[in-house]
Amino acid sequence: MKRLNPGDAITLLAGGGGGFGRPEERDPDKVAHDVRQGYVSATVARQVYRVALGDEGRVEVGATRRLRREPAPG
């Protein structure tokens, strides 16, 4: 076991939290931002957050509205 000395640093990496509220109620633009940053995939955006993305990861408003009107899978 290694002991830390003054001036040593530790880096911890962890996934995001579970969030607050229903995923399909999250602001679509924020979901799109997370996809562009690589935090979630476009597939997760569609399946979990019910956000349809087009070219360059931008929200397709009409398709997102239709997705969110459909019953969630599962």
Side-chain angles (χ1 to χ4, degrees), residues 5-74:
N5 297 307
D8 286 349
I10 296 176
T11 301
L12 299 174
L13 301 176
F20 181 78
R22 297 169 55 120
E24 65 273 14
E25 293 175 357
R26 185 153 190 254
D27 181 326
D29 289 323
K30 290 182 178 181
V31 174
H33 176 266
D34 286 351
V35 171
R36 289 191 302 274
Q37 295 300 309
Y39 300 138
V40 297
S41 68
T43 300
V44 167
R46 185 176 194 84
Q47 292 176 348
V48 175
Y49 295 98
R50 319 288 283 157
V51 174
L53 301 174
D55 295 336
E56 300 177 17
R58 304 291 177 209
V59 177
E60 290 185 353
V61 176
T64 295
R65 284 187 185 135
R66 285 189 294 280
L67 271 176
R68 288 184 167 190
R69 280 194 300 260
E70 296 172 1

